Amino acid sequence: MHIFVTGGAGYIGSICSERLIDSGHQVTIFDNLTEGHRRALDPRAKFIEGDLANREEILPAVKEAMPDAIMHFAANALVGESMTNPSKYFRNNVAAGINLLDAAVEAGVKKFIFSSTCATYGTPERVPMDERLPQKPINPYGQSKLMFEQVLHWYDKIHGLVHVNLRYFNAAGASVKFGEDHRIETHLIPNVLKVALGQKEKVEMYGDKYETPDGTCIRDYIHIHDLAAAHMLALGSKTSVSYNLGSGEGFSVRQVVDIARKVTGHPIPAVVKEARPGDPSRLVASSHKITGELGWRPQYPNLLQIIESAWAWHQKFPNGYGD
């Protein structure tokens, strides 16, 4: 298949593009490089530099490519920033995404895989979290992703655009060539590894009074290769559907730091800071639906393996992509 990938210069998009090509698919990447990196582009893919906010750039790009499917990763994804600049998130994650949908309709594309998030659920009513939970976002980032899911619903009803919403929990790990390098790094594992690399003095743990065994927040981590595998399986879906993507196992902040110490051999000093408002104590996925319907099985469910792959990449590229 020919897959049109938006955000293919970013962390998840770059590795999914790599796995698509390794599996025999043709890939065209569309990215404006504001958050992604030119060095994260798989050289085997065709690259189009452009902005989804500009209809005059995305419409001809999709029509020229005439892809069999679109995988949409491009988005702003900083929860804190969304609380101070909601306009950016609704413009880029919703309005710009609609430009992509219009291009898909004009080009006759009938399959759309959307990079969504567990943030659409907000604070969950129960854990593990399955797809039957009500979606009640507590920040503009989660709201923008939910809004786009809702737009997709109507593009299916009206235009027959079959879509799969993949609601990620915490993507982590790396391939041999590509890894996690955000311009503003908020994710726990890369920040912990920056301490081991000597680029930060200590890791900050936000809150230690949560109702968890060690008092720190518990999160579900999924290896980026398992995430990519789910995207490829989603290409075979005949109907529009939503799936949660996680390992089904939660690890606390302290556990992540302890495993990183074991992997890196570094003491990794940690300090406790004030808890952040709105941080749920526990976010763990139930991925039974995608397992039952598409046969998805995580191949790297062990957090040790995930951190080992990330550490190998960060040692090889201590300054990330350097652009």
Side-chain angles (χ1 to χ4, degrees), residues 8 21 28-29 63 109 127 144 189 194 203 212 223 227 230 236 258 261 263 270 277-278 284-285 294 299 308 313 321:
I21 296 169
T28 296
I29 293 173
K63 291 179 78 172
V109 179
V127 175
S144 71
I189 289 175
K194 285 179 183 292
V203 64
T212 61
H223 196 291
L227 203 66
D258 286 343
R261 287 168 176 153
V263 169
V284 179
L294 297 186
Q299 300 301 303
E308 282 177 340
W313 187 84
Y321 292 108

Side-chain angles (χ1 to χ4, degrees), residues 75-93:
N76 292 114
L78 297 176
V79 170
E81 182 186 51
S82 80
M83 292 293 286
T84 60
N85 189 4
S87 172
K88 177 179 180 180
Y89 281 73
F90 294 121
R91 282 184 290 108
N92 291 345
N93 294 0

Side-chain angles (χ1 to χ4, degrees), residues 194 279 289:
K194 285 179 183 292
D279 256 356
K289 185 177 179 183

Side-chain angles (χ1 to χ4, degrees), residues 206-228:
Y206 295 96
D208 64 350
K209 300 293 190 296
Y210 289 96
E211 293 183 6
T212 61
D214 64 21
T216 62
C217 288
I218 288 176
R219 296 293 183 264
D220 187 332
Y221 296 89
I222 176 174
H223 196 291
I224 190 69
H225 280 168
D226 289 327
L227 203 66

